[in-house]
């Protein structure tokens, strides 16, 4: 462990540490009289503005005042950092404020001068045209170092021309006007004078680089990004931010720029194409660093560009953001340290890794600052002087030798994580359990791809026969060379795994069939090639059942879930799911992207991903059929809660912040027995005495149903069935709770039928007013006005408890058991008539002795006996209720247990058949014990001679 000289401060009582800096010494020699102009403490935007004004009042022009201000600020930062041990933010924030202040003042001055001579630039409708100074890199990310240059792109709103002088002279095109403005801004900020510069300015990131115009119109920028924008430019624009002029930052006009940049940086689907682009960019940087250090070994110790340096932390973060930011908007943020924590929260990086990279980043940035404090040079190379090295260690609170060891430790960790991410030699963490198939997989992405005929010669017979169809397949033939190479490499790797025995030939053939419809989405080819673990798990999943393949074809983005280490060990957690959705909503709101279409797609992607996680655990036999149903039902509950809350917030005619409203689930949703693709049987009720309540809640429910069932580019969520509402399809879509209660409890002339009471045995309160309170950005309920609180007499009072009371009143109501038995037998016959089964087959659901017989029997037992047997009143599912009925003496000893076990087996058979897209009918000689157990149950309960009659 490094030996720290002083845990709280690097000074050990010595207030002279800053004076080792040659830059610090020069500042005191030149600007001793001006240094007191900056108020004490960490420089702020206000204190710097005050100092700049004071310098101008002494006779300095704006350019000189800004340069002197920079020197004064640097002196303060050196002292704060080296002598007071200031945190990193206390150094980078003032540098950012200095840059923004300087650019704001320079833009204002430049435009004022140009407007005087040429008039203001005007748009197509004669409106004023804004100029946006876009900060890239560290300026955009609010993490400038003390000797950073500032990467800028100048964008103006519209083409057109200036108003000119009153006499019509002096007009310029907007393009020429803003080109001159850029030149004037550079003179004020970037030009070197007797007082130095404010910031070095770099415009190389603008469209077409140094050969492009100094300022571009928004339209020209959009055209460039759509047609010519390169993958590496997406990383550059990821950190972009309008930094000046301040007057424009809060205007809606700036959103137009955001609307151009976001679709370029973040793609709709998981985007693994960027791996190759980042590899190429990083290779160029390392090659450049190697050339610079050739013959100069001291340059190899570059804390930014060398192996394990700052740039590799930034690349690691940016790569994960660009790959996933299109589908996970909560990952879109600029600062590196914040992004690391967001990646950890999203499960894309272990928390300990994020913390270790954050610690390395802070350490390296502090070292970088101290290197630059020495001589005010834009360098990141460790000094060769022992005195300078020991001074850096001393200002960081450690001895010289310990400083170098700690530096090496951080850099080695960073390098390993970066190499792992890009599939380098240190990719062991991605290859646990042999999933990467040894070192050959690491080179797969960069190895040359075989030609089709060469590939076919390498394939086992079934795969060769299937892949041979690609000779005439237009989708394959029209692929870009790069994408076709990826496809062939994937098949080549798959064939090798078949030969090694780690996957089956049938799974490989299914993979080929699965890939073909997705060839236009090249990012999935890149994903599988980059992530051998995902490729291997995908093959295994395709080999287990047919329905997962269909699901992944409909929602291919879900396959990236296979990369998660926690996929098989975890279960669905509703609070985590809902919190993540709220974070994504907040991220979309922060960028103005929270329109209905984006929210619908956000909900669908989240639901599909969580469904797929359950599916993967299911086919791997990590969870039981009952657990599958529990998780899918809990997921449906969560989706209903989130969607209801979001819909109400966006309802135009809402009259209160929190709706006095509830959703009641029936059928499989109510009984927590949902399967994949199940529709939702639900009833909507409200309790609100507002005079327009019926109209408002009807509009709300129509919107809610549309949000749940509408098909978008991401598919749908659920089919919604409201036939169980009072009076069925002829009734109101949403009713007051009183009307619902009266209908169910036989009050009045309009009352429920027996089959509706059967349905009530499986009914469950899904959500109510308490679940729909608006949430803040942290997912916490927003404080409500007393007039709108859920417990006010105006409505919404304890709807959950009131529903439970209604349900209990319905199922415990006195009934004629003989009449009830006859009605249920008649209803069972109607169901049987609607699902005719061949005489030589047994349908696990509809045949005599099937699941429906068990379900109807349970409903009869609940409706006829729950009054005297309270244990039957809870909605616990058929298996638990059969056992309770036996325990209550309503069934002979052993019968309830036998029927419960038989029902479970039939559910498992049905479930597996549906997963493999097979019929749920079996030969008559199969499942005989299960069928007999349920037939015995049925006869015991429903035959007139039964002891229960």
């Amino acid at each position: 462990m490094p030996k720290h000289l002083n845990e709280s401060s690097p000074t050990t009582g010595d207030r002279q540490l800053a004076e080792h800096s040659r830059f610090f010494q020069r500042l005191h020699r030149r600007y001793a009289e001006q240094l007191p102009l900056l108020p004490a403490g960490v420089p702020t935007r206000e204190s710097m503005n005050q100092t700049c004004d004071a310098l101008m009042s002494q006779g300095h022009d704006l350019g000189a005042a800004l340069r002197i201000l920079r020197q004064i600020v640097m002196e303060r930062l050196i002292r704060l950092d080296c002598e007071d041990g200031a945190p990193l933010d206390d150094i980078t924030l003032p540098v950012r404020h200095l840059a923004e202040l300087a650019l704001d003042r320079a833009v204002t001055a430049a435009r004022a001068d140009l407007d005087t001579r040429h008039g203001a630039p005007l748009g197509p409708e004669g409106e004023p045209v804004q100029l946006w100074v876009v900060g890239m890199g560290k300026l955009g990310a609010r993490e400038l170092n003390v000797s950073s240059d500032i990467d800028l792109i100048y964008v103006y709103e519209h083409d057109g021309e200036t108003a000119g002088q009153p006499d019509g002279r002096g007009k310029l095109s907007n393009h020429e006007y803003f080109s001159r403005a850029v030149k004037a801004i550079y003179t004020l900020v970037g030009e070197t004078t007797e007082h130095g510069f404010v910031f070095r300015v770099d415009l190389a990131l603008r469209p077409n680089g140094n050969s492009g115009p100094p300022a571009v119109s928004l339209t020209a920028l959009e055209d460039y990004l759509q047609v010519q924008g390169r993958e590496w430019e997406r990383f550059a624009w990821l950190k972009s931010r309008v930094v000046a002029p301040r007057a424009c930052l809060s205007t809606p006009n700036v959103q137009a720029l955001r609307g151009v940049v976001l679709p370029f940086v973040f793609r709709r689907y998981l985007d693994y194409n960027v791996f190759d682009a980042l590899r190429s960019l990083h290779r160029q940087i390392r090659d450049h660093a190697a050339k610079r250090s050739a013959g100069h070994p001291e340059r190899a110790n570059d804390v930014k560009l060398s192996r394990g340096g700052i740039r590799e932390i930034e690349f690691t973060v940016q790569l994960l953001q660009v790959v996933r930011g299109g589908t996970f908007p909560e990952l879109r943020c600029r600062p590196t340290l914040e992004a690391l924590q967001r990646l950890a929260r999203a499960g894309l990086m272990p928390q300990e890794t994020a913390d270790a990279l954050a610690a390395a980043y802070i350490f390296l940035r502090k070292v970088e600052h101290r290197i630059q404090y020495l001589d005010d040079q834009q360098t990141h190379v460790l000094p060769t002087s022992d005195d300078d090295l020991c001074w850096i260690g001393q200002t960081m609170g450690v001895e010289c030798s310990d400083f170098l060891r700690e530096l090496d430790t951080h850099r080695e960790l960073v390098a390993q994580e970066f190499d792992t991410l890009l599939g380098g030699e240190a990719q062991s963490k991605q290859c646990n359990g042999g999933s990467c198939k040894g070192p050959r997989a690491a080179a797969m992405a960069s190895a040359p791809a075989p030609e089709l005929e060469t590939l076919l010669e390498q394939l086992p017979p079934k795969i060769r026969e299937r892949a041979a169809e690609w000779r005439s397949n237009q989708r394959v033939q029209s692929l870009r060379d790069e994408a076709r190479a990826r496809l062939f490499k994937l098949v080549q790797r798959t064939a090798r795994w078949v030969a090694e025995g780690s996957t089956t030939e049938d799974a490989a053939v299914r993979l080929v069939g699965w890939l073909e419809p997705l060839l236009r989405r090249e990012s999935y080819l890149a994903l599988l090639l980059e992530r051998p673990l995902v490729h291997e798990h995908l093959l295994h999943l395709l080999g287990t059942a047919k329905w997962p393949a269909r699901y992944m074809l409909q929602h291919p983005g879900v396959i990236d879930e296979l990369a998660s280490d926690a996929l098989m060990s975890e279960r669905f957690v509703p609070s985590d799911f809902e919190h993540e959705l709220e974070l994504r909503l907040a991220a979309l709101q922060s960028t103005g992207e929270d329109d209905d279409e984006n929210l619908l797609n956000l909900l669908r992607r989240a639901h599909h991903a969580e469904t797929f996680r359950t599916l993967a655990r299911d086919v791997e036999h990590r969870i039981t059929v009952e657990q599958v149903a529990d998780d899918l039902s809990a997921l449906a509950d969560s989706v209903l809660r989130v969607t209801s809350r979001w819909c109400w917030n966006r309802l135009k005619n809402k009259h209160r912040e929190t709706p006095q409203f509830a959703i009641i689930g029936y059928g499989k949703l109510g009984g927590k027995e949902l399967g994949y693709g199940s529709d939702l049987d639900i009833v909507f009720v409200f309790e609100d005495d507002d005079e327009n309540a019926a109209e408002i809640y009807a509009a709300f429910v129509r919107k809610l149903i549309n949000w749940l069932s509408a098909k978008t580019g991401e598919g749908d969520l659920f089919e919604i069935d409201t036939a169980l509402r009072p009076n069925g399809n002829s009734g109101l879509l949403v009713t007051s709770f009183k009307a619902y209660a009266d209908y169910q409890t036989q009050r009045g002339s309009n009352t429920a039928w027996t089959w509706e009471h059967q349905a009530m045995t499986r009914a469950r309160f899904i959500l109510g007013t308490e679940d729909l309170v608006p949430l803040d950005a942290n997912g916490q309920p927003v404080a409500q006005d007393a007039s709108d609180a859920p417990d006010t007499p105006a409505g919404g009072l304890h709807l959950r408890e009131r529903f439970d009371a209604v349900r209990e009143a319905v199922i415990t109501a006195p009934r004629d058991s003989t009449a009830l038995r006859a009605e249920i037998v008649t209803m069972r016959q109607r169901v049987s008539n609607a699902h005719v089964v061949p005489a030589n087959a047994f349908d696990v659901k509809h045949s005599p002795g099937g699941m429906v017989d068990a379900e109807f029997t349970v409903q009869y037992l609940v409706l006829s006996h729950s009054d005297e047997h309270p244990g039957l009143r809870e909605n616990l599912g058929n298996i638990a209720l059969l056992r309770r009925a036996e325990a209550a003496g309503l069934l002979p000893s052993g019968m309830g247990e036998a029927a419960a076990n038989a029902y479970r087996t039939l559910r498992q058979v049905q479930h597996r058949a549906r997963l493999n897209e097979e019929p749920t009918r079996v030969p008559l000689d199969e499942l005989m014990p299960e069928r007999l157990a349920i037939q015995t149950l049925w006869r015991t309960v429903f035959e007139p001679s039964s002891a229960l009659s």
Side-chain angles (χ1 to χ4, degrees):
M1 291 290 292
K3 181 180 178 183
H4 287 258
L5 301 176
N6 186 311
E7 289 297 330
S8 61
S9 168
T11 66
T12 66
D14 184 357
R15 300 296 301 176
Q16 310 303 316
L17 276 176
E19 294 181 4
H20 180 87
S21 157
R22 275 83 70 181
F23 179 35
F24 185 87
Q25 295 168 25
R26 292 199 303 272
L27 291 174
H28 274 265
R29 287 196 298 268
R30 179 73 188 273
Y31 299 105
E33 293 183 5
Q34 287 84 8
L35 292 176
L37 292 176
L38 183 65
V42 177
T44 64
R45 189 192 305 274
E46 293 72 23
S47 67
M48 285 188 273
N49 263 315
Q50 176 185 329
T51 304
C52 186
D53 290 339
L55 289 166
M56 292 180 71
S57 70
Q58 293 179 355
H60 296 287
D61 61 29
L62 177 60
L66 290 173
R67 285 161 174 77
I68 297 171
L69 173 63
R70 188 252 177 184
Q71 312 291 13
I72 297 172
V73 170
M74 288 301 120
E75 188 275 345
R76 178 67 53 79
L77 296 184
I78 295 172
R79 192 181 293 281
L80 287 170
D81 201 356
C82 298
E83 296 184 347
D84 296 343
L88 183 62
D89 279 352
D90 282 356
I91 307 303
T92 56
L93 190 62
V95 182
R96 164 208 162 187
H97 286 325
L98 175 63
E100 292 173 356
L101 178 155
L103 289 167
D104 181 56
R105 291 203 176 210
V107 171
T108 302
R111 292 204 60 174
D113 178 59
L114 287 167
D115 286 357
T116 300
R117 291 186 279 129
H118 304 288
L122 302 175
E125 304 299 325
E127 72 276 23
V129 176
Q130 293 186 1
L131 171 67
W132 303 313
V133 184
V134 181
M136 310 290 280
K138 284 185 166 59
L139 174 58
R142 304 180 176 90
E143 49 193 19
L144 282 175
N145 63 50
V146 293
S147 194
S148 287
D149 57 4
I150 51 177
D151 295 297
L152 303 178
I153 296 177
Y154 292 94
V155 182
Y156 56 92
E157 197 173 5
H158 298 292
D159 280 314
E161 62 179 13
T162 64
Q165 300 285 352
D167 60 5
R169 292 183 301 166
K171 286 188 177 182
L172 295 174
S173 69
N174 287 355
H175 178 77
E176 178 62 24
Y177 173 96
F178 288 114
S179 295
R180 295 186 184 188
V182 170
K183 185 176 181 179
I185 294 167
Y186 177 78
T187 299
L188 288 169
V189 175
E191 208 168 68
T192 300
T193 71
E194 62 173 314
H195 296 293
F197 49 80
V198 189
F199 285 94
R200 304 175 188 88
V201 177
D202 191 340
L203 303 185
L205 292 176
R206 68 187 187 271
N208 296 302
N210 291 328
S211 63
V216 295
S217 68
L218 182 61
T219 301
L221 174 65
E222 182 173 20
D223 291 344
Y224 173 83
L225 294 180
Q226 288 181 353
V227 177
Q228 301 181 55
R230 290 158 290 183
E231 293 290 348
W232 68 262
E233 289 178 287
R234 295 171 60 195
F235 293 96
W237 280 97
L238 169 66
K239 289 179 176 287
S240 65
R241 178 173 62 92
V242 176
V243 296
R246 277 181 74 79
C248 294
L249 299 185
S250 59
T251 64
N253 310 53
V254 175
Q255 292 296 327
L257 176 61
R258 193 188 303 272
V260 168
V261 172
L262 282 176
F264 171 66
V265 176
F266 301 109
R267 304 295 160 84
R268 178 178 171 185
Y269 299 103
L270 291 168
D271 186 8
Y272 277 77
N273 288 315
V274 297
F275 271 77
D276 281 344
L278 187 60
R279 279 197 192 94
S280 176
L281 180 59
H282 184 252
R283 189 162 48 246
Q284 293 173 28
I285 291 171
R286 277 195 175 173
D287 289 347
H288 177 67
K291 289 177 182 177
R292 288 178 63 248
S293 61
H296 300 277
E298 72 278 2
R299 294 180 182 174
N301 277 320
D302 190 314
V303 298
K304 178 179 179 181
L305 301 180
S306 293
R307 185 175 185 271
I310 296 168
R311 180 58 53 85
E312 291 191 352
I313 301 176
E314 294 170 342
F315 275 2
T316 298
V317 170
Q318 291 168 13
L319 181 58
L320 292 172
Q321 286 181 293
V322 171
V323 167
R324 294 170 174 268
T327 50
F328 298 92
E330 70 272 24
L331 300 180
R332 302 175 190 173
C333 70
R334 301 176 184 91
T336 301
L337 291 173
E338 180 185 350
L340 280 167
Q341 297 308 313
R342 292 194 184 196
L343 291 168
R345 285 198 298 269
L348 302 180
M349 178 182 290
Q351 184 64 54
E352 58 269 23
T353 300
D355 292 342
L357 288 176
Y361 181 81
I362 293 171
F363 183 90
L364 292 171
R365 288 299 306 273
K366 284 177 168 286
V367 173
E368 176 187 47
H369 285 165
R370 282 153 177 76
I371 292 170
Q372 295 168 350
Y373 291 150
L374 286 168
D375 296 292
D376 192 27
Q377 295 297 307
Q378 190 186 20
T379 179
H380 317 278
V381 177
L382 283 175
T384 55
S385 162
D386 288 345
D387 287 347
D388 288 346
L389 281 173
C390 290
W391 174 77
I392 291 175
Q394 191 177 7
T395 61
M396 295 184 70
V398 295
E399 294 181 351
C400 190
S401 58
D402 291 329
F403 159 67
L404 293 174
R405 278 195 293 270
E406 191 168 354
L407 175 64
D408 286 343
T409 299
H410 284 304
R411 289 174 63 181
E412 185 58 31
L413 177 137
V414 171
Q416 287 182 4
E417 291 298 329
F418 183 75
D419 287 342
T420 297
L421 185 65
L422 283 189
E425 294 176 358
Q427 65 166 326
S428 58
K429 291 187 180 180
Q430 291 285 352
C431 306
N432 290 338
S435 62
C436 289
K437 306 301 175 188
R440 287 177 294 175
M444 175 66 76
S446 57
E451 294 297 325
L452 178 57
E453 295 304 323
T454 304
L455 173 66
L456 291 174
E457 294 173 1
Q458 303 171 6
L459 302 181
K462 289 183 181 179
I463 312 176
R464 184 190 312 126
E465 180 182 354
R466 185 67 179 81
E469 298 174 13
W470 289 350
R471 292 177 176 131
S472 57
N473 187 306
Q474 283 300 115
R475 284 180 175 171
V476 175
Q477 297 303 317
S478 61
L479 284 174
R480 296 183 306 114
D481 290 345
E482 183 182 8
R484 191 182 305 110
R486 284 175 173 152
L487 174 63
F488 291 175
K489 288 179 186 179
L490 278 174
V491 176
Q492 189 178 43
R493 181 202 276 162
T494 303
R496 191 175 71 246
W497 289 352
V498 171
E500 293 172 358
S502 60
T503 191
T504 67
E505 199 168 347
D506 287 342
V509 171
R510 284 183 186 174
L511 175 68
V512 172
W514 181 82
L515 283 171
E516 284 182 356
L518 298 173
L519 291 179
R520 292 181 181 176
R521 300 181 186 177
E522 296 177 9
S523 62
Y524 293 113
L525 298 176
L527 183 157
L528 292 172
L529 195 62
E530 294 290 348
R531 306 298 291 273
L533 183 64
V534 176
H535 182 191
E536 185 182 41
H537 283 175
L538 173 62
L539 278 166
H540 187 68
L541 210 57
L542 291 171
T544 57
K546 294 179 181 178
W547 193 82
R550 185 182 303 278
Y551 191 80
M552 290 186 290
L553 192 60
Q554 293 172 335
H555 313 296
V558 301
I559 66 171
D560 196 58
E561 299 297 327
L562 293 171
S564 170
D565 294 334
L567 174 65
M568 295 302 171
S569 60
E570 295 183 347
R571 292 278 302 278
F572 174 66
V573 180
S575 58
D576 291 349
F577 176 81
E578 294 175 40
H579 181 59
E580 287 177 10
L581 279 173
E582 294 299 336
L583 288 175
R584 291 174 195 172
L585 172 63
L588 290 175
Q589 289 173 332
S590 71
T591 57
E593 297 176 275
D594 58 326
D595 56 76
D596 283 8
E597 181 181 3
N598 276 336
L599 296 195
L600 261 64
N601 286 332
L602 173 59
L603 288 165
R604 281 149 179 75
R605 284 193 295 267
H607 176 258
H608 297 156
E610 199 59 57
T611 300
F612 180 73
R613 294 185 188 112
T614 299
L615 173 63
R617 295 166 193 145
D618 181 10
V619 299
E620 294 283 0
H621 305 292
R622 299 299 180 93
I623 53 178
T624 66
V625 173
E626 288 86 353
Q627 289 172 324
V628 170
D630 286 344
D631 287 358
L632 292 177
S633 300
L635 174 60
D637 291 358
S638 285
V639 169
L640 286 170
R641 279 192 293 270
V642 173
T643 308
S644 297
R645 193 160 52 240
W646 290 5
C647 275
W648 182 261
N649 288 339
R650 303 173 80 84
L651 189 69
K652 293 180 179 178
N653 63 336
K654 69 176 182 180
H655 61 302
R656 58 171 74 243
E657 284 302 308
T658 305
Q660 309 301 325
F661 172 83
I663 294 178
I664 299 163
Y666 283 80
K668 290 184 177 180
L669 174 64
K672 295 186 179 180
E673 294 180 350
L674 280 187
Y676 305 112
S678 294
D679 58 6
L680 303 186
D681 294 299
I682 49 183
V683 170
F684 304 100
V685 297
F686 69 91
E687 183 78 340
D688 192 325
D689 56 9
D690 185 274
E691 61 180 7
N692 297 315
E695 176 184 342
I696 293 169
Y697 287 104
F700 172 44
V701 167
R702 285 193 296 270
K703 185 180 183 72
L704 178 57
I705 291 175
N706 180 63
W707 272 47
L708 292 167
S709 59
K711 291 188 182 298
T712 73
E714 299 287 346
D716 60 4
L717 288 170
F718 300 101
E719 291 294 327
I720 303 300
D721 189 339
T722 60
L724 286 169
R725 66 187 187 269
N727 296 305
N729 290 328
S730 62
L732 297 172
L733 193 58
V734 56
T735 60
S736 71
F737 185 83
K738 181 180 184 304
Y740 170 81
D742 288 348
Y743 179 83
Q744 295 291 348
T745 55
Q746 312 291 309
R747 290 195 290 267
S749 58
N750 183 30
T751 60
W753 296 79
T754 298
W755 65 266
E756 292 176 284
H757 288 172
Q758 287 180 251
M760 182 65 90
T761 64
R762 304 181 73 190
R764 178 170 64 90
F765 192 89
I766 304 297
L767 64 84
T769 298
E770 64 273 22
D771 302 297
L772 301 176
V773 175
L775 303 180
D776 60 21
N778 296 315
Q780 299 302 312
V782 176
Q784 300 287 291
D785 293 337
S787 61
D788 201 49
D791 286 339
T792 59
L797 180 62
H798 306 304
L799 283 178
R800 184 182 300 272
E801 292 81 359
R802 292 166 66 190
F803 164 76
D804 289 342
V806 168
R807 179 181 177 276
E808 184 167 325
V810 169
I811 65 176
T812 60
R815 289 180 174 85
D816 182 324
S817 60
T818 301
L820 176 63
R821 185 183 301 113
E823 287 189 67
I824 290 180
V825 168
T826 300
M827 180 58 66
R828 175 67 183 95
Q829 188 59 50
R830 289 179 185 171
V831 173
S832 181
N833 293 340
H835 297 86
V836 178
V837 180
N840 63 345
F842 171 67
D843 187 298
V844 298
K845 180 174 182 180
H846 292 290
S847 289
M851 294 165 63
V852 173
D853 278 359
E855 291 164 358
F856 273 48
T857 302
V858 168
Q859 292 164 14
Y860 170 80
L861 292 171
V862 169
L863 292 176
S864 60
H865 295 289
S866 60
D867 183 25
E868 66 271 25
H869 296 287
L872 298 179
R873 297 174 191 175
E874 294 181 71
N875 185 357
L876 299 176
N878 294 299
I879 293 173
L881 289 173
L882 282 168
R883 289 170 174 159
R884 287 197 175 191
E886 179 184 321
L890 301 175
L891 298 174
S893 177
M895 182 178 291
E897 182 67 25
N901 292 336
Y903 184 79
R904 171 182 283 115
T905 299
L906 295 182
R907 278 188 66 186
Q908 291 169 345
V909 171
Q910 179 193 55
H911 185 71
R912 298 300 166 195
R914 288 177 173 174
L915 277 180
N916 212 32
E917 298 184 341
E918 295 173 346
T920 56
R921 297 171 183 175
V922 300
L924 281 175
D925 58 350
E926 294 185 17
L927 299 173
M928 287 293 294
E930 289 75 20
R931 182 169 38 160
L932 180 61
I934 292 178
Q935 285 177 326
T936 302
L937 172 73
W938 177 270
R939 285 194 297 269
T940 300
V941 172
F942 287 105
E943 286 184 3
S945 60
S946 169
L948 294 177
S949 60

